[in-house]
Amino acid sequence: QVQLVESGGGLVQAGGSLRLSCVASGRTISTYAMGWFRQATGKQREFVAVISYSGSYTYHADSVKGRFTISRDNAKNTVYLQMNSLKPEDTAVYYCASKYGRNWLSVGRDEYDYWGQGTQVTVSS
């Protein structure tokens, strides 16, 4: 079993930056693809980004491409989401998730095995 704990959320003005962290415990995450999702109030949880087991490959949703960057440090069992040029529409609870299996590129939330509790990101205009 993998436990995931996100941190780094907060209140930021539009155009600002935040860096989210997700620390895993229970197992090494080097054999898991890791993803970030977000859920705004009244909306479904949506895919943000995913990174392959070693970190060699990443994929970002079109809505964040060029502004957000997912990365990982397997030695620290940690995944990051660097968020730049934030917009009010980025306001949401951000969740990290792990996926075990052959296909690292997964954008569906049902494909992930473990989830963190989430961290709130609020972007003011």
Side-chain angles (χ1 to χ4, degrees):
Q1 191 148 353
V2 178
Q3 293 80 42
L4 303 171
V5 178
E6 303 96 334
S7 63
L11 174 63
V12 64
Q13 287 190 333
S17 299
L18 283 174
R19 188 195 196 200
L20 305 184
S21 299
C22 172
V23 179
S25 61
R27 286 186 181 178
T28 176
I29 61 169
S30 60
T31 56
Y32 289 80
M34 298 297 296
W36 285 96
F37 287 75
R38 66 186 181 185
Q39 188 167 16
T41 302
K43 295 187 177 181
Q44 290 200 349
R45 194 170 298 188
E46 65 174 3
F47 168 79
V48 174
V50 61
I51 189 166
S52 63
Y53 319 108
S54 66
S56 298
Y57 303 100
T58 63
Y59 180 76
H60 297 77
D62 287 343
S63 59
V64 306
K65 200 168 294 183
R67 300 187 299 121
F68 291 10
T69 303
I70 188 171
S71 62
R72 67 191 295 163
D73 185 341
N74 286 343
K76 295 182 178 180
N77 241 25
T78 302
V79 180
Y80 305 98
L81 185 68
Q82 178 67 45
M83 306 187 296
N84 299 328
S85 302
L86 282 161
K87 304 175 181 180
E89 51 263 44
D90 295 319
T91 295
V93 177
Y94 283 71
Y95 299 88
C96 72
S98 62
K99 176 189 179 298
Y100 185 78
R102 293 181 59 186
N103 300 318
W104 69 269
L105 182 50
S106 297
V107 302
R109 55 185 183 271
D110 291 343
E111 299 176 79
Y112 287 77
D113 307 302
Y114 299 104
W115 293 83
Q117 83 291 345
T119 185
Q120 176 71 47
V121 172
T122 303
V123 185
S124 63
S125 57

